[in-house]
Amino acid sequence: MFSIQHSLPRMAAMGALHCLALLGLGAVSAGALAQSTAEEIRITLGKSIVIDYPVDVARISTSNPEVVDAVAVSTREVLLHAKSHGICTIVVWSKTGQRTFYNISVEHNLEPIRRILKETFPNDPIQIQAARDSITLTGRVSSQAVADRAAALAASLSKTVINNLQVTDAAVEKQVLLRVKFAELDRTVARSFGVNLVSTGALGMVGSTSTNQFSPPRPNSLNGTSPGGGGSNPGSFSLTDALNVFAFRPELNLAATIRALQAEGVLQIIAEPNLVTTNAKEASFLVGGEFPIPVLQGGANSGAVTVQFREYGIRLSFNPQLTSHNTMKMYVKPEVSTIDLANSVTVSGFTIPALATRRMETNIELGPGQSFVIGGLIDDRVQDQMNKIPGLGNIPVLGSLFKSRSENKSRTELLVMVTPEIVDPLNPADPKPVPVMPREFIAPLQIKPTSQKGTVDPVKAKARKIRAKQTGAPTNEPVLVQPAAAPAPSAETPKTGGDSH
């Protein structure tokens, strides 16, 4: 009984504590509910808004003053000014003890950039969203160039631009065929005339006359015997170059070497390289080869020789770009180079050939099928050299024997013409083009059919007949018996399968 009386006050105290705890938990849950149901407010960067509070404001607090600045302008008005991108929370206390939470999000002003994107790319739906200090682009565009330009426009608002634009599958690009024709004509004409006179003792004098333009004969031995003394010829000459006309009169002791030549040469080079590429894609090819060039090394390997290779031949590179005017803008660079041994140099025993190069590089705009000459060259050169012996060369008529002349004329013409075309691939059923050959490349192999069973091979039968005639033996040729053909039914022949009378 005593214990029961003493336990009642303890139980009452514990019940009171429990009630207080329940009240505290209720107050905490109510505050948490009020905070979880805070009002969401979005503010554009640089702008301000005013919150009209229903009761008098006692105190204001912001979680990030660098993002939003909150000021009470009156007892029931709160001014919020967005200073930078981000998120913060504003808490307002009233004089009655009530608290109100506001979640503030400061975003970019995206309306100007949305308007610019819509006006710049009217056929591409581009969406733009802002998150903190970054901008995200979403949507589907027609090409990668549009996506890059849209990202460049959005970069003016934020340093971080997330480009999530998807590029649609582009249509099949048109293919451009470039036909280039090189036509080069090199004509050379050379004329030369000269006379060298040699006397081995005519008129009692040994000697020779020459302009030295063409190799004259040179004496190899001389003696003092006069031609009238009955001795041998007083002098002898050795001919190292008889030129192309040589005449000698032994009874007159007079010889002459004459150079009278006329040469004409024609070199014609015509190349037609064709190259196909797609729109705005560069293509090039080289038809030719490479020749070695020795290169001396320096430094620690001073004196060592390495070999490098240089390309030569017919080279073509171009980059077409289709325009909205149904034309093609092209960067074209054709080149023709050949090895020129005439202008080669020799270094340390190595002969390095030169290159004769014709190169053009230009930008043109043409329509499909139109042709344009992008390079034309006419090189006309004349080289004339004349030598004569003073005095003797001025004698009329006979002075031509003491003159020599060499004349070289060269004329080079080069023409480069380009013709672009838009081409389509061949369908599987279309005939495929093949190179045209003047003669059949490989004749098809003729295979005779093998003899079938029950038939006679005419080749073997003829061979057996020849052997039978030579030996007198029978041929033993198989005799084929053809079955007799059945007679055609007539009106008088009764049909089978029924009674006949």
Side-chain angles (χ1 to χ4, degrees), residues 99-413:
R99 293 175 299 177
T100 306
F101 293 87
Y102 299 95
N103 292 332
I104 310 298
S105 297
V106 179
E107 300 178 348
H108 292 277
N109 185 11
L110 301 180
E111 289 304 321
I113 191 64
R114 285 195 181 100
R115 184 170 60 255
I116 293 175
L117 291 176
K118 187 175 181 180
E119 294 176 355
T120 307
F121 312 106
N123 299 326
D124 299 313
I126 300 176
Q127 291 80 33
I128 182 171
Q129 293 87 22
R132 290 182 178 268
D133 56 349
S134 64
I135 293 178
T136 304
L137 299 177
T138 58
R140 185 176 293 273
V141 294
S142 57
S143 63
Q144 184 63 36
V146 174
D148 296 338
R149 291 172 58 190
L153 291 175
S156 60
L157 293 180
S158 176
K159 296 181 179 180
T160 304
V161 177
I162 302 175
N163 193 348
N164 288 331
L165 295 174
Q166 298 181 359
V167 180
T168 58
D169 295 335
V172 178
E173 294 184 353
K174 295 183 179 180
Q175 300 179 95
V176 179
L177 169 65
L178 185 67
R179 301 181 184 270
V180 180
K181 293 184 179 181
F182 294 90
E184 181 179 359
L185 182 62
D186 187 1
R187 291 175 289 189
T188 304
V189 177
R191 297 184 180 92
S192 59
F193 177 78
V195 178
N196 295 326
L197 298 177
V198 179
S199 173
T200 59
L203 300 178
M205 181 178 292
V206 177
S208 65
T209 60
S210 173
T211 60
N212 287 327
Q213 186 172 3
F214 308 111
S215 300
R218 298 299 179 187
N220 59 359
S221 62
L222 291 174
N223 52 54
T225 304
S226 63
S232 61
N233 291 333
S236 62
F237 287 78
S238 62
L239 296 176
T240 58
D241 186 2
L243 303 185
N244 62 322
V245 178
F246 173 71
F248 178 64
R249 293 290 301 272
E251 68 276 10
L252 298 179
N253 293 327
L254 185 63
T257 57
I258 303 174
R259 167 66 62 87
L261 290 178
Q262 181 176 351
E264 295 183 4
V266 176
L267 174 63
Q268 183 177 359
I269 299 175
I270 297 179
E272 297 185 16
N274 299 330
L275 194 59
V276 179
T277 184
T278 56
N279 183 26
K281 299 296 189 300
E282 183 177 358
S284 64
F285 78 93
L286 171 67
V287 179
E290 297 181 347
F291 64 94
I293 295 179
V295 178
L296 294 177
Q297 299 295 319
N301 297 326
S302 179
V305 179
T306 60
V307 177
Q308 296 181 358
F309 288 86
R310 295 290 186 270
E311 298 177 346
Y312 72 96
I314 300 174
R315 184 195 304 271
L316 174 63
S317 61
F318 82 107
N319 188 349
Q321 184 176 1
L322 300 178
T323 65
S324 58
H325 306 291
N326 196 25
T327 60
M328 285 176 282
K329 292 184 178 180
M330 292 183 298
Y331 164 76
V332 186
K333 186 179 179 181
E335 177 182 335
V336 178
S337 58
T338 57
I339 295 179
D340 186 7
L341 295 177
N343 297 319
S344 61
V345 296
T346 302
V347 179
S348 302
F350 296 97
T351 300
I352 303 176
L355 282 181
T357 305
R358 284 90 169 170
R359 181 186 301 116
M360 280 70 66
E361 185 175 357
T362 183
N363 291 275
I364 59 176
E365 183 173 359
L366 297 175
Q370 292 181 343
S371 299
F372 196 86
V373 177
I374 64 172
L377 171 65
I378 298 178
D379 187 5
D380 196 351
R381 302 183 184 185
V382 178
Q383 182 180 0
D384 192 357
Q385 183 179 0
M386 184 182 67
N387 295 337
K388 67 179 181 178
I389 298 175
L392 298 178
N394 297 329
I395 299 175
V397 182
L398 294 179
S400 300
L401 299 176
F402 303 98
K403 295 179 181 179
S404 62
R405 185 173 184 175
S406 176
E407 181 181 358
N408 293 321
K409 294 182 179 180
S410 63
R411 182 181 178 91
T412 303
E413 300 177 6

Side-chain angles (χ1 to χ4, degrees), residues 36-116:
S36 62
T37 58
E39 184 178 352
E40 300 288 340
I41 299 177
R42 296 180 179 272
I43 308 177
T44 303
L45 178 63
K47 294 185 177 182
S48 301
I49 63 173
V50 177
I51 300 177
D52 294 326
Y53 205 67
V55 295
D56 294 340
V57 176
R59 188 174 47 170
I60 304 172
S61 176
T62 176
S63 62
N64 193 347
E66 296 180 357
V67 176
V68 176
D69 187 13
V71 179
V73 295
S74 66
T75 57
R76 295 191 179 187
E77 291 179 341
V78 179
L79 175 64
L80 303 180
H81 177 67
K83 299 170 61 178
S84 64
H85 305 97
I87 299 175
C88 70
T89 302
I90 302 294
V91 183
V92 180
W93 284 270
S94 65
K95 292 183 179 180
T96 59
Q98 184 181 359
R99 293 175 299 177
T100 306
F101 293 87
Y102 299 95
N103 292 332
I104 310 298
S105 297
V106 179
E107 300 178 348
H108 292 277
N109 185 11
L110 301 180
E111 289 304 321
I113 191 64
R114 285 195 181 100
R115 184 170 60 255
I116 293 175

